[in-house]
Amino acid sequence: MADAQVAMANQRCQEKTPVQILHEYGIKMGSAPVYELIQAQAEGDMHQSSFMFSVTIGGITCKGRGSTKKAAKHEAAEAALKLLKRDTQPNDRRDGLSPEAGESNHVGVLQELAMQRVWCLPEYVVCLETGPDHMKEFTVTCRLEGLEESGTGSSKRLARRAAAERMLGKLQSLSGSPEITWSPPSRVYVESLRQATGEKISLLRRTPLSIPNTDYIQMLLEISLELGFQVTYIGIDELTVNGQYQCLVELSTRPVTVCHGTGMTSSNAHNTAAHNALQYIKMVASKL
């Protein structure tokens, strides 16, 4: 599983320069890297010249310095790739892990897989922190293309690695083999809802969303199964100023749809969030 994918990634890195790898990644994600020369200092001898480039891609900016412009761009691209993959050795050692520990860097493998398949990059969220300061335990949730897995660890990084490992295991399970062949459902674009003609969406268009005691969670689930998007509920620990529970519901549409809900109980908040999501879907689907 991971060993083969790590070997493939390492082979690609040996064959291509960081500038080439970053460019290919940017093209796939629709955000080509932009380089800018921010410092050039010539000191007579060409071996003492110094250049600094910045590279911006996907909302991050990294810098690199070198004795030539090519070397400076190389360093900047390498720094950006390390930040995107989050798998540098110094970070591993800060968690008390050494490269010889025999464990694959599951976070890096999952990131590389997402880049290869042109998926959205994995998202990691710390959802729980327990224990005294000297014995903390963290729970991190990994979300990828509508899938969700959680992992625990004595540090956020270890919990994230455990979550990534579980996600890779889920992808293998969905693929039915160690080789990951699973593909996410077709992406549902919000604008396409106007042309949707299924039974559930047609019923939604003509059904008032004001009937008491309606199970909007079930209704949203049926709509999502018909249209092909994923539904994820995210509880918010903090109560409102009125003492009500809060919840977010996320729909894996393009762009992503997020709606908020509140209620006297957690289940009420979930149902309200689903109701608000249905209101939005109905509004978009009913536009002429």
Side-chain angles (χ1 to χ4, degrees), residues 200 213-226 231 233 270-271 274-275 278:
K200 300 299 181 182
N213 302 319
T214 300
D215 188 348
Y216 293 115
I217 294 175
Q218 179 63 30
M219 186 183 296
L220 181 59
L221 174 62
E222 293 173 354
I223 292 284
S224 70
L225 292 174
E226 180 176 271
V231 178
Y233 292 92
H270 280 63
N271 204 48
H275 173 263
L278 287 166

Side-chain angles (χ1 to χ4, degrees), residues 61-242:
T61 299
C62 294
K63 297 178 182 178
R65 184 185 295 273
S67 59
T68 65
K69 293 181 180 179
K70 182 177 180 180
K73 290 178 69 174
H74 179 105
E75 290 296 320
E78 192 168 43
L81 286 169
K82 287 180 178 179
L83 186 59
L84 287 167
K85 294 182 181 181
R86 303 175 185 176
D87 62 354
T88 56
Q89 288 186 356
N91 287 341
D92 290 340
R93 291 195 181 102
R94 279 197 294 271
D95 279 331
L97 298 175
S98 65
E100 295 77 26
E103 292 187 21
S104 299
N105 187 342
H106 303 292
V107 174
V109 171
L110 190 61
Q111 190 94 354
E112 177 74 13
L113 178 67
M115 291 166 63
Q116 290 174 17
R117 307 290 174 86
V118 200
W119 295 346
C120 292
L121 295 180
E123 177 187 5
Y124 297 91
V125 179
V126 178
C127 54
L128 188 62
E129 180 179 334
T130 59
D133 290 341
H134 65 286
M135 291 182 61
K136 286 286 188 183
E137 182 174 82
F138 299 88
T139 300
V140 169
T141 296
C142 173
R143 300 193 183 106
L144 174 68
E145 292 292 346
L147 303 177
E148 186 172 305
E149 284 293 336
S150 296
T152 60
S154 57
S155 70
K156 293 178 183 178
R157 192 173 303 279
L158 287 175
R160 187 171 67 185
R161 176 171 294 181
E165 182 179 13
R166 289 177 64 88
M167 179 62 74
L168 287 167
K170 171 172 275 190
L171 291 171
Q172 284 183 309
S173 177
L174 291 171
S175 301
S177 70
E179 181 182 358
I180 296 174
T181 57
W182 176 86
S183 295
S186 301
R187 296 177 178 178
V188 179
Y189 290 87
V190 170
E191 290 300 314
S192 69
L193 298 178
R194 298 179 185 179
Q195 288 78 44
T197 57
E199 175 188 351
K200 300 299 181 182
I201 191 69
S202 298
L203 181 63
L204 177 64
R205 287 191 179 102
R206 61 176 186 269
T207 301
L209 293 174
S210 56
I211 303 173
N213 302 319
T214 300
D215 188 348
Y216 293 115
I217 294 175
Q218 179 63 30
M219 186 183 296
L220 181 59
L221 174 62
E222 293 173 354
I223 292 284
S224 70
L225 292 174
E226 180 176 271
L227 298 180
F229 61 81
Q230 302 290 322
V231 178
T232 303
Y233 292 92
I234 306 168
I236 301 176
D237 293 336
E238 185 178 351
L239 300 179
T240 67
V241 293
N242 297 324

Side-chain angles (χ1 to χ4, degrees), residues 34-36 38 53-64 76-77 79-80 83-84:
V34 177
Y35 293 88
E36 181 182 358
I38 57 178
F53 268 87
S54 69
V55 60
T56 301
I57 179 172
I60 68 167
T61 299
C62 294
K63 297 178 182 178
L83 186 59
L84 287 167

